[in-house]
């Protein structure tokens, strides 16, 4: 009878860690382009401006710019299109998401008779990254088979052990070997020797593998911000944030491979399905300052600490294969719940400047982030130590430049912005720079405002169909359009 088992690093002493975390997974917890419509329209260049609830997430001193109690709520329609290329074959998949992307409030307290004449308290929620995504890759690989994934995992495990132990009695690597062996995707080199530790794929003829990989991702990263700001003679604003982060992410992936022709023996095709659920929470801190250098010139500085997250992974797997004479459905019906682990993302420093006039403004932000400082923990664990070494070797420092402008015509505000986020990798073929262009329109009713924005951001990156064995990479071009609407009011 099939059963659901909850496994915790079973047989970890065999040397393969329980889950297949990748070094690139840590980038999932870096903030995306988010916030109010006005913030998005100016490309996020708000480090020296303030006066916007999303600006608090960049520079917490921005809450002291408000002159009145203030609240806003935002909705966003997020449209993603992924164009993939793999061995000359192209695919396009789209995903649309509509949700409440921001909601917050600031309370302002003033005493004009004191030098420290103002302090503010703010609460804000933001969806910092929409993780919903669809992608499909397909093409014919002349040389390399996805069966090598199972061969890699099985090599070193004796045939007697594969015959004896069940899926739920293995660590992660042994589970993969178990799936491949029982689905007849791989065979022992010597099936008469119980001590055999070498394996090969079960195809009759080698080469010309049609491969298809598709996945559907669902989830989000969110953040609650508790803000405090203060003003010294309306010339120097200081602020601090306590941020509470949470994440919930599900990835359903399906890899399919078949050979050309109709083999009379051995493997014909197989499908490998995975569902990964990652969830957790964390914390980060921010401090910042904004100074009015003159009537029209402002400068800003902010520091964002690393985000410390506690995460848990849950994984289910299934393999379906077809040989010349049978179909094998290997479904262990097991939910693997792995021990909690920790990550620390890279900190960020932002320098800002702005020209502010009654008819409009221009604003510039430059931020730096050293991704080599990102870490998995516990660092003393051999597996996480290996991931951290990969991060230190492959990742790099990045620079983000954001430029925004606004022009006031009576009750209307016309806005535009540009944003460039540098690649976190030394090799930009792994992940290129992100570029974004934005437009916006605002209308003031007096005590309240309605703002709209459009943002288009693009990035090219490489996607691996399987995490090992199959080293060929697909090229993915992401085109992301976001439409936001914000209603805000003084009270």
């Amino acid at each position: 009878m099939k059963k659901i088992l909850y496994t915790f690093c079973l047989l970890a002493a065999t040397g393969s860690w329980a889950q297949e975390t990748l070094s690139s997974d840590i980038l999932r917890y870096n903030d995306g382009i988010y916030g109010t419509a006005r913030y998005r329209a100016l490309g996020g260049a708000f480090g020296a401006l303030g006066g916007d609830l999303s600006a608090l997430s960049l520079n917490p001193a921005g809450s002291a710019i408000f002159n009145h109690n203030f609240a806003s709520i935002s909705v966003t329609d997020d449209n993603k299109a992924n164009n993939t290329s793999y061995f000359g074959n192209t695919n396009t998949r789209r995903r649309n998401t509509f949700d409440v992307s921001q909601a917050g409030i600031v309370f302002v307290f003033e005493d004009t008779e004191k030098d420290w004449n103002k302090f503010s308290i703010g609460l804000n929620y933001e969806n910092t990254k929409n993780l919903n995504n669809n992608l499909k890759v397909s093409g014919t690989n002349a040389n390399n088979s996805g069966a090598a994934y199972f061969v890699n995992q099985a090599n070193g495990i004796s045939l007697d052990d594969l015959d004896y132990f069940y899926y739920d009695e293995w660590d992660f690597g042994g589970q993969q070997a178990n799936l491949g062996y029982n689905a007849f995707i791989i065979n022992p080199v010597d099936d008469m020797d119980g001590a055999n530790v070498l394996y090969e794929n079960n195809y009759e003829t080698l080469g010309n593998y049609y491969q298809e990989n598709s996945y559907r991702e669902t989830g989000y990263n969110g953040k609650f911000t508790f803000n405090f700001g203060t003003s010294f003679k309306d010339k120097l604003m200081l602020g601090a944030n306590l941020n509470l982060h949470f994440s919930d992410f599900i990835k359903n992936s399906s890899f399919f491979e078949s050979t050309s022709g109709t083999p009379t023996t051995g493997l014909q095709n197989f499908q490998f399905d995975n569902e990964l659920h990652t969830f957790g929470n964390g914390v980060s801190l921010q401090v910042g300052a904004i100074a009015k250098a003159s009537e029209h010139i402002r400068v800003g500085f902010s520091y964002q600490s690393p985000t410390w997250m506690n995460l848990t992974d849950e994984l289910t797997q299934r393999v379906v294969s077809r040989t010349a004479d049978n179909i094998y459905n290997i479904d262990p019906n097991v939910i693997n719940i792995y021990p909690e682990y920790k990550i620390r993302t890279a900190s960020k420093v932002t320098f800002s400047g702005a020209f502010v006039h009654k008819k409009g403004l221009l604003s510039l932000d430059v931020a730096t982030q050293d991704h080599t400082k990102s870490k998995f923990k516990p660092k003393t664990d051999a597996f996480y130590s290996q991931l951290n070494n990969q991060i230190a070797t492959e990742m790099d420092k990045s620079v983000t430049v954001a430029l925004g402008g606004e022009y006031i015509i009576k009750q209307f505000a016309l806005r535009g912005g540009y944003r460039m986020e540098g690649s976190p990798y030394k090799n930009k073929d792994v992940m290129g720079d992100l570029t974004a262009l934005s437009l916006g329109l605002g209308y003031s009713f007096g005590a309240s405002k309605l703002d709209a924005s459009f943002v288009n951001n693009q990035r090219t990156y490489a996607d691996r169909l399987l995490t090992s064995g199959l080293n060929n990479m697909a090229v993915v071009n992401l085109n992301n359009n976001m439409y936001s609407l914000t209603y805000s009011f003084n009270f």
Side-chain angles (χ1 to χ4, degrees):
M1 179 181 294
K2 290 185 176 180
K3 53 187 176 180
I4 296 179
L5 298 175
Y6 298 88
T7 61
F8 297 86
C9 289
L10 296 172
L11 300 182
T14 60
S16 179
W17 185 250
Q19 67 246 61
E20 199 167 32
T21 306
L22 302 175
S23 60
S24 58
D25 289 344
I26 206 163
L27 298 175
R28 187 187 305 143
Y29 304 98
N30 289 335
D31 292 344
I33 299 175
Y34 58 89
T36 65
R38 185 178 180 225
Y39 184 87
R40 292 177 188 247
L42 269 68
F46 260 86
L49 293 176
D52 183 279
L53 277 160
S54 291
L56 307 190
S57 293
L58 176 62
N59 189 338
S63 64
I65 299 292
F66 287 105
N67 292 319
H68 307 281
N69 298 337
F70 184 86
S72 68
I73 185 169
S74 306
V75 293
T76 297
D77 185 51
D78 192 324
N79 298 272
K80 293 178 181 176
N82 287 295
N83 303 299
T84 64
S85 177
Y86 187 64
F87 289 102
N89 195 50
T90 59
N91 288 278
T92 299
R93 285 293 182 270
R94 303 180 186 277
R95 185 73 180 272
N96 181 74
T97 304
F98 181 84
D99 63 11
V100 176
S101 53
Q102 178 275 328
I105 190 168
V106 169
F107 298 96
V108 180
F109 305 88
E110 285 192 277
D111 187 344
T112 56
E113 296 182 357
K114 294 183 178 180
D115 289 341
W116 292 97
N117 60 304
K118 182 192 300 182
F119 73 90
S120 54
I121 297 174
L123 301 172
N124 192 46
Y125 161 78
E126 286 179 323
N127 186 340
T128 58
K129 184 174 284 187
N130 169 26
L131 300 177
N132 293 348
N133 201 20
N134 283 356
L135 185 144
K136 179 181 178 180
V137 173
S138 64
T140 300
N141 190 329
N143 300 306
N144 300 318
S145 167
Y149 171 82
F150 298 100
V151 172
N152 282 0
Q153 302 287 356
N155 281 340
I157 299 176
S158 73
L159 178 59
D160 280 345
D161 285 344
L162 276 183
D163 280 327
Y164 180 78
F165 290 107
Y166 292 101
Y167 174 91
D168 53 274
E169 297 176 298
W170 286 103
D171 66 344
F172 180 84
Q175 288 177 339
Q176 310 317 293
N178 177 277
L179 291 172
Y181 175 71
N182 288 311
F184 289 90
I185 297 172
I186 60 174
N187 283 331
V189 172
D190 184 353
D191 60 5
M192 302 300 293
D193 181 8
N196 173 86
V197 293
L198 295 177
Y199 299 83
E200 59 189 358
N201 74 44
N202 189 29
Y203 286 115
E204 178 186 29
T205 58
L206 302 180
N208 295 323
Y209 306 102
Y210 172 76
Q211 295 165 346
E212 182 175 298
N213 190 47
S214 60
Y215 60 73
R216 180 180 178 87
E217 297 175 334
T218 303
Y220 61 93
N221 294 341
K223 177 173 70 176
F224 282 108
T225 296
F226 300 88
N227 168 267
F228 174 80
T230 185
S231 170
F232 181 76
K233 295 183 177 181
D234 283 328
K235 297 293 184 181
L236 175 64
M237 279 62 69
L238 303 176
N241 288 344
L242 171 64
N243 303 310
L244 302 181
H245 301 259
F246 49 94
S247 179
D248 197 290
F249 173 72
I250 297 175
K251 180 176 182 177
N252 287 281
S253 62
S254 181
F255 175 86
F256 174 82
E257 180 179 280
S258 64
T259 58
S260 59
T262 54
T264 57
T265 62
L267 183 66
Q268 293 185 328
N269 60 62
F270 71 91
Q271 180 175 316
F272 181 33
D273 297 333
N274 288 263
E275 180 177 288
L276 172 67
H277 184 197
T278 302
F279 56 93
N281 52 67
V283 64
S284 68
L285 303 171
Q286 290 171 279
V287 293
I290 297 175
K292 293 183 178 179
S294 68
E295 181 183 358
H296 299 298
I297 301 298
R298 297 180 189 175
V299 293
F301 168 84
S302 63
Y303 168 78
Q304 178 178 318
S305 78
T307 299
W308 296 275
M309 296 282 292
N310 297 324
L311 299 171
T312 299
D313 288 348
E314 296 179 356
L315 178 69
T316 59
Q317 299 184 296
R318 181 184 74 137
V319 171
V320 179
S321 66
R322 178 189 294 272
T323 64
D325 54 5
N326 210 342
I327 297 175
Y328 300 91
N329 183 6
I330 310 302
D331 185 356
N333 202 17
V334 168
I335 303 174
N336 296 291
I337 303 179
Y338 301 112
E340 184 180 83
Y341 60 101
K342 299 179 180 181
I343 64 168
R344 186 190 75 193
T345 66
S347 61
K348 181 187 292 186
V349 174
T350 303
F351 300 90
S352 310
F355 173 82
V356 181
H357 189 271
K358 65 180 180 180
K359 296 298 292 182
L361 60 87
L362 285 173
S363 182
L364 174 68
D365 287 355
V366 178
T368 61
Q369 195 168 17
D370 187 354
H371 298 279
T372 65
K373 302 299 183 182
S374 301
K375 300 294 180 186
F376 287 87
K377 294 183 177 182
K379 293 187 290 185
T380 54
D381 181 271
F383 176 76
Y384 290 133
S385 178
Q386 179 183 0
L387 289 182
N388 292 335
N389 288 337
Q390 291 178 8
I391 290 172
T393 301
E394 299 171 2
M395 293 191 182
D396 201 359
K397 296 179 180 179
S398 68
V399 175
T400 297
V401 178
L403 177 65
E406 180 179 73
Y407 183 67
I408 306 297
I409 306 174
K410 295 183 178 180
Q411 287 87 10
F412 289 93
L414 306 178
R415 301 176 181 126
Y418 168 80
R419 185 180 185 89
M420 190 284 295
E421 296 181 9
S423 170
Y425 285 93
K426 294 176 182 177
N427 182 0
K428 290 192 177 183
D429 289 338
V430 177
M431 180 178 289
D433 298 338
L434 182 144
T435 58
L437 295 173
S438 53
L439 296 171
L441 178 66
Y443 184 84
S444 175
F445 298 95
S448 64
K449 295 187 299 180
L450 187 65
D451 298 308
S453 68
F454 165 75
V455 180
N456 171 264
N457 65 73
Q458 300 184 31
R459 168 170 267 166
T460 299
Y461 62 95
D463 183 73
R464 188 185 298 274
L465 278 66
L466 292 171
T467 55
S468 68
L470 184 61
N471 295 322
N472 303 100
M473 309 284 279
V475 176
V476 183
N477 293 300
L478 169 66
N479 191 316
N480 191 187
N481 292 325
M482 293 175 285
Y483 306 85
S484 298
L485 190 67
T486 299
Y487 178 71
S488 57
F489 56 94
N490 297 313
F491 64 97

